[in-house]
Every structure is written in C-alpha cells, then in structure tokens.
Amino acid sequence: MGAGGPDEEDNRWPPWLKPLLGEHFFVQCKLHADSHKSECNMYCLDCMNGALCSLCLAHHKDHRYIQIRRSSYHDVIRVSEIQKYLDISGVQTYVINSAKVVFINERPQPRPGKGVTNTCEVCDRSLVDSFRFCSLGCKIVGTSKDFQKKKRHMAAMASDSEDSYSSSGHGKLNNKVQSFRPSTPPPTSVNYRTAKRRKGIPHRAPMGGLIIQY
C-alpha cells in the first residue's frame, strides 16, 4: 500500500493491541476448569492466543504478559504494566485500589455531567484535566486518519450552518420583531389629556354651606 494506507495505520500500534481490545476476560479457563485459579485474567503479548489463567502462564515463562483487572465490571490495566509496551499519553488515568490504571475500552455515558468542560474525543465521556481519550480503544479510534477526516468534515458543516443562520434568517427575524413593537405615544397627546382633566373650577358639595340650628 502507498503512504497513508491501511497498512501504515495498523503499524502505528503493536500487533497485540487490537486483539486485546476484543478479548473477553474473567471467564473460566477451558484447560483448567477444575482449579480454583481458572479465571482468565492474563494476556500474553507474544502469543496473542486469547485470555489465560494463572496456570496457563507456565507455558509462557519467557513471554511478555499483562494482568487484566476489573473496576465496575469494566476491564482495566495498571499503568505500571502497560506503559512498558504502549504509549498511553492522552488517555485518562484513574486510581483504583491505590494503583493508577487505564480502561481498555470505552464506557457508555448517557450525557456529560453539569459543568464538564472536557470530554473524550470519541465517545464524549467526561474527562478531567487535558486528557483526550477515556480508554485505549478510544485512542486507537480517535487518532485514526478516517476519524480525524470525519471530525474536520463535521466541524466544517457546523460552521457553514452557523454562518448561514446568522447571515440570513436570524437578522431578518430581528428586524421583523422590532417593527412590530408599539411606538411610544407622542408627548403632546398625553399632555393634552392630562391638562384637560385638571382644567376647571372644583365644585363643592350642595350642602356644604348650610348651617343647621337646634
């Protein structure tokens, strides 16, 4: 493929990363189902042959492997482990059980909380500080050329829509609203009515000057 093709896009990441993102962990190991340590929460970066349990690691002594952990039913990896093999800059980190971790895949969020000023560029999940992504999966998507191209296209469409709104309908609407506002009555008519009401000699009550004698 030529420069900028799919092969170049894939070469930005280690070959084990995408298989890791699609793997299902914390299931029972088929090879060691009778053992109480048969939960699959390990992954070999060299073999990339699926989730492994702790007993499976006997066959991967000289390989690179990482342990997957869980937080609120979502898979996480400790920063101290993953940063040896992968650039995780821009990905939000969290402290869970006194250890700094990153989430493997995005976590759906209905809407950002009030006052949130920074969100994931891919899934719009609330973030803190200046992080760009909420997970490793979102970083892969958000840094792809296709996603960046789509993002620029949407921004251009939004800008064109705002320009069209402000230059046509919005300005005319303001003029129409102003034209329907009632004008202030001329001061002469107000003064005339006021003067007319106050003009004339006040009348006393008919019995005002009558003196009654007993």
Side-chain angles (χ1 to χ4, degrees), residues 20-106:
L20 170 67
L21 299 180
E23 191 59 60
H24 295 285
F25 295 95
F26 299 95
V27 296
Q28 190 177 48
C29 179
K30 297 179 180 179
L31 299 177
H32 306 97
D34 296 334
S35 174
H36 68 281
K37 296 182 179 180
S38 62
E39 187 177 58
C40 293
N41 63 341
M42 312 296 293
Y43 189 81
C44 180
L45 307 183
D46 295 319
C47 296
M48 299 180 290
N49 56 349
L52 308 173
C53 73
S54 58
L55 298 177
C56 292
L57 293 180
H59 304 286
H60 302 266
K61 291 182 179 180
D62 299 327
H63 297 177
R64 300 171 302 164
Y65 58 85
I66 56 176
Q67 181 177 354
I68 311 301
R69 305 169 193 274
R70 279 226 155 165
S71 174
S72 301
Y73 303 101
H74 294 281
D75 297 337
V76 301
I77 308 176
R78 283 187 175 178
V79 171
S80 58
E81 293 185 42
I82 192 64
Q83 67 182 1
K84 298 176 183 178
Y85 314 110
L86 183 69
D87 176 17
I88 61 172
S89 59
V91 180
Q92 171 78 61
T93 59
Y94 300 85
V95 177
I96 299 175
N97 294 331
S98 302
K100 188 178 292 187
V101 302
V102 292
F103 282 85
I104 296 180
N105 290 300
E106 68 177 74

Side-chain angles (χ1 to χ4, degrees), residues 55-183:
L55 298 177
C56 292
L57 293 180
H59 304 286
H60 302 266
K61 291 182 179 180
D62 299 327
H63 297 177
R64 300 171 302 164
Y65 58 85
I66 56 176
Q67 181 177 354
I68 311 301
R69 305 169 193 274
R70 279 226 155 165
S71 174
S72 301
Y73 303 101
H74 294 281
D75 297 337
V76 301
I77 308 176
R78 283 187 175 178
V79 171
S80 58
E81 293 185 42
I82 192 64
Q83 67 182 1
K84 298 176 183 178
Y85 314 110
L86 183 69
D87 176 17
I88 61 172
S89 59
V91 180
Q92 171 78 61
T93 59
Y94 300 85
V95 177
I96 299 175
N97 294 331
S98 302
K100 188 178 292 187
V101 302
V102 292
F103 282 85
I104 296 180
N105 290 300
E106 68 177 74
R107 294 163 294 150
Q109 184 179 30
R111 66 185 64 178
K114 293 183 179 180
V116 174
T117 58
N118 187 36
T119 60
C120 177
E121 295 181 10
V122 176
C123 69
D124 293 327
R125 185 172 186 84
S126 303
L127 301 179
V128 299
D129 300 328
S130 58
F131 292 106
R132 299 175 56 193
F133 310 105
C134 70
S135 62
L136 300 179
C138 282
K139 181 173 182 177
I140 290 182
V141 174
T143 55
S144 66
K145 293 183 178 180
D146 287 343
F147 182 84
Q148 293 297 327
K149 183 178 179 180
K150 181 180 179 181
K151 187 176 180 181
R152 289 192 297 267
H153 177 67
M154 293 179 65
M157 290 181 62
S159 178
D160 292 342
S161 177
E162 290 178 0
D163 292 341
S164 176
Y165 174 75
S166 59
S167 62
S168 58
H170 187 60
K172 294 180 180 179
L173 180 61
N174 280 341
N175 292 335
K176 290 182 179 179
V177 172
Q178 292 176 0
S179 66
F180 279 103
R181 291 177 180 173
S183 58

